[in-house]
Amino acid sequence: MRKFIFMAAVLAAFFCISCMSNPVTVERVSADTVTDLSGYWNDTDVRIVAESIVNECVNAGSITNYINKNGKEPLVIVGSFRNESDEHLDTSILAKKFEAALINSGRVEFVASSSERTEIREERSEQQLWASEDTAKRLANETAADFMLIGSVKTIIDSVAGKSTRTYYVYAELIDIETNKKLWMGENSEIKKVINRSATRR
């Protein structure tokens, strides 16, 4: 009898816990769906900024002049994209978006970034020891970049009584590696959000 009562109590407790827990629901949406849940930087912002700035960059006069003068597209390397905002941002995603869009434009070509080169150089060094002589890739035969693309993300916040605005400023610059000349500068400040928070969540 005691065993029956114990089992009934366990089942009752399990039933109560199950009723108290909130089930998780998942809804699949299109990748280009605008989803602003917290009011912070998200994938939609990355897409808007990348499309806007890249369109300016590929049509910049400096790139057209380089192609006309040299008869080929300039080689570009991605430098640092600094996060100077008040929140945690993975700026590497933004940098990769820029890189992919610029390559796909057909107006520039890219070489491996600093972190990528380290891994590739290790592989090339190992090939000198372990690969056959006719397939091992040569050392000191890398293609140098002509320009470097760098940038930053900044924010301006204004708030009062549970209501705030967040404005994101994204800057990108194309720099001549040999001369340090800034060939092009782009800015996107279209990302502005008004956020209302209830009194219980302040």
Side-chain angles (χ1 to χ4, degrees), residues 13 25 61 68 85 96 119 154 156:
T25 61
N68 292 338
S85 73
K96 277 296 180 184
E119 185 175 357
K154 305 173 188 288
I156 292 180

Side-chain angles (χ1 to χ4, degrees), residues 29-154:
V29 296
S30 173
D32 58 0
T33 301
V34 177
T35 52
D36 272 312
L37 300 179
S38 65
Y40 291 103
W41 181 262
N42 58 37
D43 62 309
T44 300
D45 303 324
V46 172
R47 185 171 64 253
I48 292 172
V49 168
E51 290 174 355
S52 172
I53 293 184
V54 167
N55 185 57
E56 291 181 28
C57 184
V58 296
N59 292 299
S62 55
I63 292 181
T64 301
N65 293 338
Y66 182 95
I67 294 173
N68 292 338
K69 181 180 179 180
N70 298 278
K72 62 178 182 178
E73 294 77 21
L75 284 165
V76 181
I77 187 172
V78 175
S80 63
F81 270 73
R82 302 181 308 279
N83 176 19
E84 298 178 0
S85 73
D86 69 317
E87 63 186 86
H88 173 72
L89 299 179
D90 186 351
T91 54
S92 66
I93 297 175
L94 184 60
K96 277 296 180 184
K97 279 280 189 182
F98 281 146
E99 185 175 351
L102 286 168
I103 289 175
N104 293 336
S105 74
R107 297 276 289 173
V108 301
E109 294 182 353
F110 270 82
V111 295
S113 66
S114 178
S115 58
E116 292 167 336
R117 287 199 307 270
T118 299
E119 185 175 357
I120 295 169
R121 284 170 180 167
E122 290 176 357
E123 168 61 24
R124 197 156 46 234
S125 295
E126 289 190 5
Q127 287 185 7
Q128 310 309 308
L129 294 173
W130 305 107
S132 62
E133 185 175 349
D134 58 330
T135 62
K137 302 303 177 281
R138 289 183 293 165
L139 298 174
N141 194 43
E142 297 179 11
T143 302
D146 303 300
F147 305 149
M148 177 177 282
L149 181 69
I150 62 173
S152 61
V153 181
K154 305 173 188 288

